[in-house]
Amino acid sequence: MATPVRKETTNSSLEKVSIEHTENRLQVDERVLDVEEAYAVAKAQANLDPWSRSSFTIYACALLAFCCSCGNGYDGSLMTSINGMKYYQLQFESGRLGAKTGLIFSIYTIGQMAGSWFAGPIADRFGRRGGMFTGCLVIIIGVIVISTATKRPQFIGGRFLLGMGIAVATVAAPTYILECSPPQWRGRLTSFYNTGWFGGAIPAAGITLGTSTIASNWSWRIPLILQAVPASIVCLTVWFLPETPRFLYANGRHEEAFDFLIRYHGNGDRNNPVVQLEMREFEESIAQNGSDKRWWDYRDLVNTKNARWRSLMVFLMGLFGQMSGNGLGYFNLDIYKALGYDSHMQFSLNLVSQCVSAVCAWVSVSIADRMPRRTVLVWGTLGCCCMLAANAGFSGAWAAYKPGHQNLSIGQAGTASFFLFQAIYSFTYTPLQSLYPAECLETTARAKGVSMKIFVIGCTSFINLYCIPIALQNIQWRFILVFVGWDFFETIIWYFFAIETQGRTLEELDEIFAAPHPVAKSKEMYQRHRKTLKEAQAQNH
């Protein structure tokens, strides 16, 4: 008779546990809904004055981060151009394509990989400003080494230092502007950072176009010297701007963090709804003893399912952001040469393509606060795939012609498809390469997570910059087909795994990544957020 009684007791216990579990889940769902409503109402009611002194300080923070990105873009466009200069080739005898050129280009990425291991701990220990200052100081030293080089080993050593400095600066800079930005402006200001690539690439293309006519080594030395300008601006001004509130709070400087929020996010009003929401989320979400206090500890990137999903998004952006065919841009001049253009037109087309890509990137930045990340990544990557396929087709047709019998329309179509590829890539990846990983990472793991992204970028860029010149020399236009297939693969991966982060506070995203099915949860919350925001705006009006 004891057995039935025991069975009844067990069933009652199970029912009690089930009821408690359901109640807990409902409480969690209610909390998520409350946070969504609070965030939507706060954004609708808390209008910032874009012309206030405090707002201009935030703009200055964004501009400083932008300068760090300029250094990276300047190097990419610079090396594309000076590699085609006569006096550079006479000095170093590397050839325009092949293994020697691959080493000179790719050593920069080895410097990035080395610097990425120090970048996160520096930004966590000395602050985001300290990381930007340290990185830019190393860049200036690298410029001195490379611009005075007379032998290839010194030139290679200078490029290693440049890569190391860029890694440290570009870990701290996006973290800095993301953590400084008010929630209402976070998407635009953070994605604006990575368009600094064109803030460096366009001047570099213009400068090298001008110096290409100088009949001496100054044709390539002058552009190299000017590479130090953005880094010098950062070193001279960074200590005059505030440290980020999340770094301050995570390091026990709570009053300073709240003063920042009141001054720069709340128009000086402590009761501003955005300030109140951020204060509450800081208290609930930012650990005082997180792994950011231990320079050697990277466990927060992998120790939970939540963390592993976050790290997967960062890894995918680091990998796909560099392997979508954009590495071909380092060899723009050789691609245009293969399509029949002379030296002057190669330099001119390089400048025009940088300008077109910049416009597309800035259009993307302007709508970043409303732009769904998943949709852009899936369709943008598919667009890159289609344009590269078209370019490969036209390039193959051009190569089949006998000299003097080419159809110029085929060459022009090949150039146009490559322009369109770069435009679509710039709209899709240039803003999101900085914004998306920083959004996905939580505060105490953000600097080290971005360091991981920089390391992945360094690895993939090394493969690109070492292999592409060899492949273009050996199999020519056929190599582009590799990226066509890879971009199609990327499209499939983004469709099944990309998390939607648009419209969420940095702390709210924890609810998404902790869900059993984060992709489905992110899409559900995105749709719910859009509905809630519209209702809040309607009530406010």
Side-chain angles (χ1 to χ4, degrees):
M1 296 297 293
T3 303
V5 173
R6 199 158 37 239
K7 184 175 180 181
E8 181 180 351
T9 303
T10 303
N11 289 341
S12 299
S13 300
L14 288 172
E15 289 176 5
K16 183 178 179 181
V17 170
S18 177
I19 291 170
E20 289 177 351
H21 175 74
T22 302
E23 288 175 348
N24 289 337
R25 182 170 52 80
L26 289 173
Q27 288 174 1
V28 171
D29 288 344
E30 287 173 2
R31 180 184 176 279
V32 172
L33 188 58
D34 288 344
V35 171
E36 285 188 37
E37 291 176 348
Y39 180 59
V41 171
K43 285 185 71 174
Q45 294 179 354
N47 293 320
L48 285 175
D49 179 6
W51 302 106
S52 67
R53 183 175 180 179
S54 58
S55 292
F56 274 92
T57 301
I58 296 295
Y59 302 153
C61 294
L63 189 60
L64 199 72
F66 181 86
C67 286
C68 291
S69 185
C70 285
N72 208 12
Y74 190 97
D75 183 84
S77 183
L78 169 73
M79 290 306 299
T80 298
S81 299
I82 69 171
N83 191 52
M85 290 183 177
K86 174 183 175 182
Y87 287 92
Y88 168 82
Q89 290 293 342
L90 289 173
Q91 182 69 45
F92 298 111
E93 299 178 346
S94 61
R96 290 185 59 160
L97 295 172
K100 291 180 181 178
T101 296
L103 177 61
I104 290 174
F105 275 67
S106 62
I107 195 68
Y108 176 85
T109 65
I110 296 177
Q112 280 186 310
M113 286 187 275
S116 67
W117 291 106
F118 305 102
I122 289 172
D124 284 335
R125 175 66 181 84
F126 300 105
R128 314 321 190 193
R129 295 180 303 170
M132 289 189 289
F133 178 84
T134 303
C136 288
L137 187 62
V138 175
I139 290 171
I140 293 170
I141 295 171
V143 167
I144 294 171
V145 172
I146 198 170
S147 62
T148 58
T150 56
K151 300 293 183 182
R152 196 185 308 147
Q154 183 180 342
F155 193 88
I156 290 172
R159 284 191 55 72
F160 178 86
L161 287 174
L162 285 171
M164 180 178 286
I166 283 290
V168 177
T170 55
V171 165
T175 305
Y176 179 72
I177 188 55
L178 178 116
E179 294 182 355
C180 283
S181 299
Q184 304 95 311
W185 299 349
R186 187 188 76 208
R188 280 167 289 176
L189 291 180
T190 308
S191 55
F192 171 73
Y193 152 78
N194 212 45
T195 63
W197 171 275
F198 298 107
I202 292 173
I207 290 166
T208 51
L209 176 61
T211 63
S212 63
T213 59
I214 299 175
S216 72
N217 280 339
W218 288 108
S219 61
W220 56 270
R221 288 194 193 277
I222 290 174
L224 287 172
I225 293 169
L226 294 176
Q227 191 169 8
V229 171
S232 299
I233 292 172
V234 173
C235 287
L236 292 172
T237 61
V238 67
W239 300 113
F240 294 99
L241 293 172
E243 186 54 85
T244 76
R246 285 179 172 82
F247 174 81
L248 294 172
Y249 190 90
N251 285 274
R253 297 158 66 178
H254 298 176
E255 286 304 315
E256 290 180 66
F258 291 152
D259 287 344
F260 181 103
L261 296 179
I262 294 165
R263 181 174 181 181
Y264 297 109
H265 292 190
N267 289 324
D269 179 10
R270 189 180 187 88
N271 296 316
N272 183 287
V274 167
V275 172
Q276 290 294 314
L277 180 61
E278 288 187 289
M279 284 181 175
R280 188 178 75 184
E281 291 183 333
F282 278 24
E283 291 167 352
E284 292 177 354
S285 305
I286 298 180
Q288 300 299 294
N289 59 347
S291 64
D292 57 325
K293 313 302 186 299
R294 300 178 293 276
W295 65 267
W296 47 267
D297 192 353
Y298 281 76
R299 286 177 298 176
D300 278 358
L301 296 176
V302 295
N303 62 359
T304 65
K305 177 189 173 186
N306 181 318
R308 289 189 289 274
W309 264 99
R310 292 173 183 269
S311 295
L312 176 63
M313 295 302 101
V314 176
F315 174 80
L316 291 179
M317 182 56 74
L319 177 65
F320 293 170
Q322 297 302 308
M323 292 292 285
S324 298
N326 54 307
L328 294 166
Y330 276 87
F331 306 94
N332 279 349
L333 268 62
D334 294 285
I335 291 173
Y336 299 141
K337 180 182 179 182
L339 290 169
Y341 292 97
D342 63 25
S343 178
H344 180 75
M345 278 301 296
Q346 292 166 28
F347 282 96
S348 299
L349 287 170
N350 184 50
L351 175 59
V352 173
S353 70
Q354 299 291 355
C355 293
V356 171
S357 296
V359 170
C360 293
W362 286 327
V363 168
S364 183
V365 167
S366 70
I367 59 174
D369 286 311
R370 306 185 303 276
M371 184 173 71
R373 317 311 189 213
R374 272 182 54 85
T375 303
V376 171
L377 286 170
V378 171
W379 288 104
T381 306
L382 183 61
C384 289
C385 173
C386 294
M387 289 303 102
L388 284 178
N391 177 261
F394 290 124
S395 298
W398 178 269
Y401 287 117
K402 294 180 180 179
H405 295 82
Q406 295 97 335
N407 183 343
L408 294 179
S409 297
I410 296 295
Q412 292 166 352
T415 303
S417 60
F418 193 62
F419 264 55
L420 287 171
F421 158 74
Q422 292 180 311
I424 294 171
Y425 174 87
S426 298
F427 181 91
T428 303
Y429 281 99
T430 299
L432 291 183
Q433 276 194 82
S434 58
L435 176 61
Y436 192 64
E439 282 183 333
C440 289
L441 293 162
E442 58 92 15
T443 298
T444 57
R446 186 165 295 122
K448 287 174 181 171
V450 176
S451 293
M452 179 186 73
K453 184 198 78 168
I454 296 298
F455 180 78
V456 173
I457 287 174
C459 293
T460 52
S461 296
F462 175 79
I463 295 170
N464 270 333
L465 298 183
Y466 189 77
C467 295
I468 286 177
I470 298 173
L472 288 176
Q473 184 180 51
N474 293 330
I475 60 175
Q476 301 170 353
W477 62 269
R478 298 173 185 83
F479 182 63
I480 297 173
L481 295 173
V482 173
F483 289 109
V484 174
W486 179 258
D487 282 0
F488 186 72
F489 168 76
E490 288 182 5
T491 302
I492 295 172
I493 296 298
W494 280 133
Y495 180 80
F496 285 106
F497 291 98
I499 302 292
E500 182 56 71
T501 60
Q502 194 274 330
R504 310 262 55 84
T505 67
L506 298 179
E507 286 71 28
E508 269 184 289
L509 288 168
D510 194 57
E511 304 288 347
I512 291 174
F513 286 106
H517 304 287
V519 176
K521 184 69 173 178
S522 71
K523 293 193 290 185
E524 174 196 332
M525 290 185 70
Y526 172 69
Q527 294 300 328
R528 192 162 63 190
H529 167 75
R530 291 182 64 187
K531 181 180 178 181
T532 304
L533 186 58
K534 288 179 181 178
E535 291 174 353
Q537 289 172 337
Q539 291 175 4
N540 192 48
H541 291 300

